[in-house]
Amino acid sequence: MAALMRDASFRRIWSVGLLGGVGRWLEMLVLGIWAVETTGSPFLVALLLLLRMAPFVLLGPIVGAFADRLPPRPFLAVGFAVATAVSTVVLCIFLAGVEAYWLVATAAVVTGTVWTTDMPLRRRMLGDIAGSDRLAAAMGTDSATGNATRMLGPLLGGLLYEALGAPGAFALSSLLYGASVVLVLGLPDMPLASAAGHRAERLARQMREAVVFAVSNRDMLAILAVTVIFNLWCFPFVAMIPVIGAETLALDPAWIGVLAALEGAGAFLGAVVVAMTARPRFFRAIYVGGTGVYLLLMLLVSGLGTVWPVALTVFAIGLASACFGSMQSTLVYACAPPAMRGRLFGLLVLCIGSGLLGFANIGWMGDLHGGSAAARIVALEGIVPLLLVLILWRRLRGGTPS
């Protein structure tokens, strides 16, 4: 890790992930609290996160294909410039006293579009800078940092919301995204991994090639299947944290932020431990096992009704999330041919976009049965498909794909 941090390009692209991640998770928590207070509907809380996921489904493969055809630095800079503009607009909306749900929902869609570039562009650039010898360390460091932002973002968001309301939180996110633009512009131009002939190929053909590879490669297919399971039935739990905090535990916004930050704290600690101790032969098992433990902990948290047991379980959920998240990018990057990495990361973004249905599902369950019961129902739904993957993917001790 120390050698990586001595690389100026790595430091810059890593810092972009740090600043952008804090802004991302800060906004998610603040919008959740705002939606609970404004609408009182768990479904409308989840809908804001659902709308952030929609671009992943619609644009993920397209962004991935363009990532193999266009220089990544300006592409990424434009994305963060758009995120800066959107956060500034939302700040102005809140300062004007306008509480129009549809305006905030529209902003969520645009910001979600920007985040479709993270894996095809920023994380691929991390891997290119690190090289194959330092790949696991680079991805592990970035995963740990991303998980730290899941702690810092909600914590800052809850405190700012309590002190200054939604405008204070969005002022900070706008500054963070703006700083990310400056960092990206300071990066050197990076060559494309694809050959020059690939640039002339049609977009549809490139996307089809990636799909054919993913379907025919058992490792890639299993990696993507677990990603779908996690985003359909695990990750949507974060939308219920503000609901559980307000409904079940009667917490104020600052303490809801602390509760959400505990998930990020667990994820950060877990990512550090995985990066320091995981061996390649166990990478697949860590990836799948983290998803299974996450679902079991969702079942547990749904039966708790007091603050400290819920808080400890949310922290443990973060630990399980780190096992999944630390291995996801590592396995995809290692499995993908160099000229196809952008497109396969684009397919990964598409699979992450399955959270679109996951957030709709948990939001609907929350409206019908409450936040805690929704977590239990969704966890039970996710256990069966994960068991099928465990049965079919027999090379769980085989490490990174060759």
Side-chain angles (χ1 to χ4, degrees):
M1 180 176 173
L4 284 169
M5 286 301 177
R6 286 194 292 270
D7 187 317
S9 294
F10 182 87
R11 286 200 309 272
R12 277 184 173 268
I13 200 68
W14 169 80
S15 297
V16 168
L18 172 63
L19 298 180
V22 171
R24 179 187 189 185
W25 291 100
L26 178 152
E27 289 182 351
M28 290 176 68
L29 186 278
V30 167
L31 289 180
I33 297 173
W34 176 84
V36 168
E37 292 184 349
T38 304
T39 70
S41 167
F43 177 77
L44 291 179
V45 174
L47 181 60
L48 290 176
L49 298 184
L50 182 155
L51 291 172
R52 280 200 170 213
M53 301 298 296
F56 284 60
V57 176
L58 300 174
L59 301 176
I62 297 174
V63 172
F66 274 113
D68 282 334
R69 297 158 64 96
L70 299 174
R73 183 177 65 90
F75 199 173
L76 194 61
V78 169
F80 275 105
V82 171
T84 304
V86 170
S87 291
T88 303
V89 169
V90 174
L91 167 62
C92 293
I93 289 172
F94 284 132
L95 286 175
V98 177
E99 293 190 348
Y101 182 89
W102 70 272
L103 288 173
V104 175
T106 301
V109 174
V110 178
T111 305
T113 301
V114 173
W115 282 105
T116 62
T117 66
D118 186 64
M119 286 196 174
L121 292 174
R122 193 188 65 81
R123 291 200 181 183
R124 196 197 73 188
M125 291 168 70
L126 275 174
D128 291 344
I129 292 168
S132 58
D133 292 342
R134 302 185 298 178
L135 175 61
M139 293 299 183
T141 299
D142 189 61
S143 179
T145 303
N147 288 325
T149 67
R150 290 163 59 180
M151 172 180 62
L152 294 173
L155 184 61
L156 289 172
L159 293 173
L160 284 170
Y161 195 98
E162 183 76 13
L164 302 172
F170 274 88
L172 178 58
S173 69
S174 182
L175 290 172
L176 293 171
Y177 293 147
S180 297
V181 174
V182 174
L183 287 169
V184 172
L185 291 176
L187 286 166
D189 289 322
M190 299 182 67
L192 297 176
S194 55
H198 279 195
R199 296 188 184 187
E201 292 176 355
R202 291 186 177 181
L203 191 63
R205 179 179 176 182
Q206 288 189 307
M207 293 166 62
R208 184 170 63 251
E209 287 176 350
V211 172
V212 170
F213 176 84
V215 171
S216 62
N217 184 286
R218 184 173 65 174
D219 277 312
M220 181 61 73
L221 190 61
I223 292 164
L224 295 179
V226 175
T227 293
V228 170
I229 291 169
F230 186 89
N231 285 278
L232 272 176
W233 292 293
C234 295
F235 182 57
F237 170 74
V238 300
M240 290 297 104
I241 292 178
V243 177
I244 293 171
E247 273 186 359
T248 306
L249 305 177
L251 299 176
D252 60 30
W255 284 108
I256 292 175
V258 172
L259 182 65
L262 285 172
E263 192 269 345
F268 171 69
L269 177 61
V272 171
V273 172
V274 169
M276 293 176 62
T277 63
R279 298 294 178 264
R281 63 184 302 220
F282 297 115
F283 281 2
R284 292 180 179 89
I286 293 169
Y287 182 59
V288 178
T291 305
V293 172
Y294 196 118
L295 290 169
L296 293 175
L297 290 171
M298 283 175 62
L299 283 174
L300 175 62
V301 78
S302 65
L304 304 173
T306 54
V307 172
W308 286 110
V310 170
L312 290 173
T313 307
V314 168
F315 179 82
I317 283 174
L319 292 171
S321 176
C323 294
F324 166 84
S326 296
M327 295 296 104
Q328 185 186 50
S329 296
T330 302
L331 290 171
V332 171
Y333 191 96
C335 186
M340 204 179 285
R341 280 177 179 145
R343 282 169 281 168
L344 288 170
F345 271 116
L347 282 181
L348 181 64
V349 171
L350 174 63
C351 293
I352 292 171
S354 61
L356 179 73
L357 298 176
F359 283 110
N361 179 37
I362 202 167
W364 182 37
M365 293 297 104
D367 261 0
L368 292 176
H369 307 292
S372 294
R376 179 169 61 251
I377 294 168
V378 169
L380 289 170
E381 292 172 353
I383 288 173
V384 174
L386 185 64
L387 288 175
L388 291 176
V389 171
L390 283 169
I391 293 170
L392 297 175
W393 199 18
R394 298 177 181 177
R395 296 176 60 198
L396 292 177
R397 289 170 60 90
T400 54
S402 59

